[in-house]
Amino acid sequence: MECRIELYSQEEIMKTRMFLLFIAMIISAVVARAQSGSPASPSPREPAKSGKQTASQPAAKATDIKNEDCGCEAKNIIPADVAGIANGIKITAKEIADHIKDERDGLQKKVIESRRRELNLQINSRLLEAEAMKKGTTPTKLIEQEIVGKAQEPTDAEARAFYEQNKARIPGAFKDFKPQIVAYLKAQRQESAAKAYADKLRAEADVKVLVEKVTAPEKESDRANVLATINGAKITSGDLEESLKPLIYDVQLRVYALMKNELELRVNDILLEQEAQKRKTTAKALVEAELTPNVKKISEQDAAKFYEENKDRIDGGDFDMLKDQLIDHLQKNEQRRAELVFAERLRQGAKIEINLKEPEPPVLQIATDEQPSKGNANAPVTIVEFTDFECSTCQQSQPVLERLAKEYSDKVRLVVRDYPLEKHKNAFKAAEAAEAAREQAKYWEYVAVLFANQKELGVEKLKEYASKVGLDRKKFDAELQASKYAGRVQRDMQDGMKAGVSGTPTIFINGKRAADTTYAALRAAIEEALTKPAMN
């Protein structure tokens, strides 16, 4: 299981994180790179029924994108005719597609909107990089100087005024939500500063946008089409499509999941109807008779136990604040458990055929230069892991990855990149500390200590661990205090977001994201990669 935040929208969390980390570009790209989640697994149910450009551009109208090709359809996910068969009854592809049309259209609309924003994003990104180079600094430092540093901190009075204006939509007292309100108000001010700075950079540059509307390339040669120029440098359709690969793949996965979920539900419908006929009753009566006695009533004690066991992974307040939400969450889980048990019983002995094919992940170009690594630099297989030192699943995956790197010897190179999650308050500083240890050639030894002490990663502890692995404390402490390697960590996070990372650990093998991060699955992926050319 990846490290994620339960009970709250991952998309909203990613929007906030992306703003704070990539603020100059957020104007046009937040939604495009905040994709995660999938439909729930199926259960029994009754039968279903031109000119000077500014930093930002107006959102596309619904009529503008109606019938527009999203350029995101995966090939051969679903056959043209029969999607599946249950006990001899055929389920057509059209039947499945009709049921998910609204969700599918919504996902495809996001790609269309994101493609339009992506051009604006790439213009702003290149201008920012050019300005940083001209000033002999980094884009991150330029953002901190020109945007973050110039955004005035909201006062208590402003936070209170916001709360009073919006308290009907805020599920708690001001004292509990003050930090989130302050962060939101600060983000708004930073966004305004970012837009003003982007407008300034554009006014000083020769920016030409050569298309009125950005659309998907219809054929491979269209990828060479020039969409805009910045001081003569070209941005092509292919540049945009490369950046959109992670988003498009996520949309393909979600459409596939919707299709599979709907198909499995239809299979269950058929089996339920057949069982009801066999028992001479209705499908509804059969479901109620089978489920009601088997669904446990969730108590406050059950919710309290769940909270205590998972509070490190739950953000948003104490137990009293979350109690009702947790009870509802657990009750739905209990209902789902009973439904799945019943569904499995219906499926025993049934003849079921599913004709769906999961989309292939794209091959991404993920930088591995100047990163901590193990193994032969010229190995045919490169594993890249985005990790978080406070993530328990990352702790579990580390020995698996190191074992694979050792087993495959010079055939595999393991590269680690940082992706500290916002909910882990010490993870970013721990990543900086690991970089400081790498400067003294003790990265792997230091990382092992971090993973062994995930609950104690405060700054003073990070310094203690430096002594433990034999680092020069004076040098280490000074670099940690000065945040000397924060830029490295931020670069990793920015690259991770571009690659569609939304949780940890996220692992890529020769540029392809691994869906399953167990030892057996990763080993199989390595074997497959060894039969194909390594990524460039």
Side-chain angles (χ1 to χ4, degrees):
M1 179 179 180
E2 292 182 329
C3 284
R4 298 186 183 276
I5 298 179
E6 304 291 339
L7 305 176
Y8 291 89
S9 163
Q10 181 71 18
E11 186 163 337
E12 291 303 316
I13 292 160
M14 284 299 294
K15 285 181 185 179
T16 302
R17 293 181 64 248
M18 287 178 63
F19 180 83
L20 295 173
L21 294 169
F22 216 25
I23 196 140
M25 283 73 91
I26 203 63
I27 303 165
S28 54
V30 174
V31 177
R33 299 211 175 118
Q35 301 296 323
S36 68
S38 59
S41 54
S43 58
R45 63 174 185 187
E46 291 189 74
K49 305 180 188 175
S50 178
K52 177 160 281 192
Q53 302 300 310
T54 59
S56 57
Q57 297 170 344
K61 297 178 182 178
T63 52
D64 293 337
I65 63 176
K66 188 177 181 182
N67 301 323
E68 184 176 326
D69 179 15
C70 70
C72 59
E73 288 285 77
K75 306 300 181 186
N76 303 320
I77 282 183
I78 193 165
D81 45 9
V82 179
I85 303 172
N87 281 346
I89 297 179
K90 294 181 179 180
I91 304 165
T92 68
K94 184 179 184 307
E95 179 183 352
I96 299 303
D98 287 348
H99 271 283
I100 67 163
K101 184 180 185 305
D102 289 344
E103 295 96 328
R104 184 177 182 177
D105 287 350
L107 289 168
Q108 293 179 350
K109 179 180 175 181
K110 283 186 178 182
V111 176
I112 293 168
E113 292 172 341
S114 296
R115 181 174 283 108
R116 293 181 174 183
R117 284 192 294 269
E118 185 66 24
L119 178 58
N120 205 42
L121 168 62
Q122 293 215 7
I123 291 170
N124 288 353
S125 299
R126 295 194 187 189
L127 288 172
L128 182 68
E129 289 167 0
E131 185 69 8
M133 185 176 295
K134 184 168 70 176
K135 292 188 173 182
T137 185
T138 66
T140 298
K141 289 181 179 178
L142 200 55
I143 288 169
E144 291 172 352
Q145 174 186 330
E146 297 292 337
I147 298 167
V148 178
K150 292 184 178 180
Q152 188 176 1
E153 190 78 20
T155 65
D156 287 353
E158 288 169 333
R160 169 67 75 174
F162 179 90
Y163 176 81
E164 292 299 328
Q165 292 169 3
N166 296 276
K167 63 182 179 182
R169 296 184 293 135
I170 300 175
F174 173 69
K175 64 180 178 62
D176 296 317
F177 283 86
K178 180 183 172 183
Q180 293 95 315
I181 292 170
V182 169
Y184 174 76
L185 292 174
K186 189 173 182 179
Q188 282 191 318
R189 292 175 182 183
Q190 289 175 337
E191 183 174 358
S192 295
K195 182 183 184 303
Y197 188 57
D199 283 344
K200 174 180 176 292
L201 293 179
R202 287 192 178 213
E204 295 171 351
D206 180 17
V207 178
K208 293 185 176 70
V209 176
L210 307 177
V211 293
E212 291 185 6
K213 186 168 71 171
V214 181
T215 58
E218 294 181 5
K219 51 188 182 297
E220 186 62 27
S221 60
D222 289 344
R223 292 170 66 90
N225 292 345
V226 179
L227 306 181
T229 61
I230 305 172
N231 297 328
K234 299 174 182 178
I235 297 178
T236 67
S237 174
D239 293 329
L240 268 61
E241 296 308 309
E242 283 299 309
S243 293
L244 290 171
K245 273 183 176 181
L247 170 63
I248 289 174
Y249 176 59
D250 281 340
V251 166
Q252 290 173 348
L253 278 180
R254 294 173 76 180
V255 169
Y256 167 78
L258 285 168
M259 289 178 168
K260 190 171 189 298
N261 190 67
E262 187 60 38
L263 179 55
E264 296 283 8
L265 285 170
R266 185 64 190 118
V267 167
N268 288 348
D269 289 345
I270 292 169
L271 300 179
L272 180 62
E273 291 163 1
Q274 291 177 340
E275 184 67 16
Q277 289 174 5
K278 191 187 301 180
R279 299 193 194 184
K280 301 188 186 307
T281 186
T282 65
K284 183 177 181 179
L286 179 57
V287 168
E288 290 177 351
E290 289 289 339
L291 295 188
T292 302
N294 295 308
V295 177
K296 173 188 173 184
K297 180 70 175 175
I298 298 298
S299 67
E300 185 174 324
Q301 289 73 25
D302 294 325
K305 181 181 178 183
F306 177 86
Y307 179 83
E308 286 301 317
E309 291 174 349
N310 296 275
K311 61 184 178 182
D312 290 343
R313 298 169 52 234
I314 298 175
D315 287 351
D318 57 20
F319 175 71
D320 288 338
M321 183 184 298
L322 297 173
K323 178 177 64 177
D324 293 341
Q325 192 177 356
L326 287 170
I327 290 174
D328 181 65
H329 171 74
L330 294 174
Q331 193 64 63
K332 288 177 178 176
N333 282 352
E334 181 63 22
Q335 177 77 16
R336 173 66 64 196
R337 182 201 61 78
E339 289 172 349
L340 292 176
V341 169
F342 183 38
E344 188 57 35
R345 283 172 49 201
L346 289 174
R347 286 169 172 257
Q348 289 176 0
K351 294 181 179 179
I352 301 169
E353 181 180 319
I354 303 294
N355 299 326
L356 296 179
K357 183 180 179 182
E358 188 169 342
E360 279 286 318
V363 176
L364 305 178
Q365 300 298 323
I366 300 173
T368 59
D369 58 301
E370 299 180 5
Q371 301 296 334
S373 63
K374 279 187 175 183
N376 177 9
N378 298 314
V381 174
T382 297
I383 302 174
V384 178
E385 178 198 26
F386 285 87
T387 194
D388 174 319
F389 295 119
E390 277 193 84
C391 168
S392 59
T393 318
C394 295
Q395 178 193 50
Q396 295 161 17
S397 73
Q398 199 60 35
V400 172
L401 292 172
E402 292 188 29
R403 175 186 171 187
L404 287 165
K406 185 176 180 180
E407 286 179 359
Y408 281 91
S409 186
D410 62 345
K411 293 181 180 179
V412 166
R413 178 188 181 214
L414 171 61
V415 178
V416 178
R417 302 201 62 179
D418 295 306
Y419 204 81
L421 301 176
E422 187 182 10
K423 65 173 181 173
H424 292 153
K425 63 180 182 179
N426 295 316
F428 193 98
K429 205 65 182 177
E432 288 183 52
E435 288 294 331
R438 180 157 71 99
E439 283 298 302
Q440 298 188 40
K442 292 277 189 176
Y443 176 83
W444 298 101
E445 296 89 337
Y446 190 78
V447 162
V449 177
L450 293 181
F451 278 131
N453 296 274
Q454 287 189 313
K455 301 295 184 183
E456 297 182 286
L457 296 180
V459 171
E460 291 308 312
K461 285 292 184 180
L462 295 176
K463 294 176 181 178
E464 285 182 26
Y465 304 149
S467 295
K468 188 172 182 178
V469 300
L471 298 180
D472 177 340
R473 275 291 301 274
K474 184 177 180 180
K475 177 175 167 33
F476 178 90
D477 291 3
E479 291 177 345
L480 194 63
Q481 177 67 28
S483 297
K484 182 176 180 179
Y485 303 110
R488 290 185 185 178
V489 180
Q490 288 166 338
R491 176 202 172 193
D492 282 2
M493 297 181 73
Q494 290 166 7
D495 284 358
M497 284 186 284
K498 290 176 184 178
V501 175
S502 61
T504 55
T506 297
I507 297 170
F508 296 84
I509 296 179
N510 277 5
K512 293 176 71 172
R513 191 167 78 199
D516 186 342
T517 58
T518 61
Y519 169 80
L522 291 174
R523 197 175 193 282
I526 290 170
E527 289 292 336
E528 180 183 357
L530 285 170
T531 67
K532 299 177 180 178
M535 66 179 181
N536 295 326

